[in-house]
């Protein structure tokens, strides 16, 4: 998802799930395919921001078949002290949510 109207429509009565590293909002759409939006809360360097987006996009690419035709917005919850453990925890929590 790239346009504001898509995000506005998604946030009108969505379903949600909260994990320690992220929160996801989703709602079915009419396009017939799954779409992804990524929101990162907190200030990060561009290196960290792009690394985390890659993790989420890779998970989305691998899970697309099981997600159906819905719009998803994944809000990453960044801890005050970001370490290399966070991407691994994010991957684990994403797999647990969809399983």
């Amino acid at each position: 998802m790239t346009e504001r109207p898509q995000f506005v429509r998604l946030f009108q009565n969505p379903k949600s799930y909260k994990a320690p590293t992220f929160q996801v909002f989703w709602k079915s759409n009419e396009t017939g395919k799954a779409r992804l939006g990524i929101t990162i809360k907190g200030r990060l360097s561009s290196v960290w921001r792009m690394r985390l987006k890659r993790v989420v996009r890779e998970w989305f690419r691998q899970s697309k078949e099981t997600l159906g035709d819905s719009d998803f917005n994944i809000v990453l919850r960044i801890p005050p002290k970001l370490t290399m453990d966070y991407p691994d925890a994010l991957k684990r929590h994403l797999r647990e949510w969809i399983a």
Side-chain angles (χ1 to χ4, degrees), residues 3-87:
E3 299 174 10
R4 180 166 166 54
Q6 294 169 342
F7 283 94
V8 170
R9 184 192 139 325
L10 171 62
F11 283 105
Q12 294 171 349
N13 198 19
K15 297 175 186 166
S16 68
Y17 174 81
K18 190 180 276 191
T21 54
F22 70 93
Q23 184 170 7
V24 63
F25 299 93
W26 74 93
K27 187 175 185 179
S28 63
N29 64 33
E30 311 81 32
T31 63
K33 60 182 180 179
R35 297 186 298 185
L36 175 68
I38 303 170
T39 305
I40 299 177
K41 288 193 165 203
R43 296 191 58 107
L44 291 175
S45 70
S46 59
V47 173
W48 271 109
R49 191 170 44 253
M50 296 312 293
R51 177 177 289 162
L52 297 176
K53 283 183 176 184
R54 268 194 307 272
V55 167
V56 174
R57 285 187 192 122
E58 181 63 18
W59 164 82
F60 184 74
R61 186 186 66 77
Q62 293 175 351
S63 305
K64 220 178 223 187
E65 300 299 320
T66 60
L67 295 175
D69 58 343
S70 295
D71 291 336
F72 295 87
N73 186 37
I74 297 183
V75 180
L76 299 180
R77 306 164 100 203
I78 307 303
K81 178 82 170 127
L82 191 59
T83 64
M84 288 303 292
D85 295 335
Y86 183 81

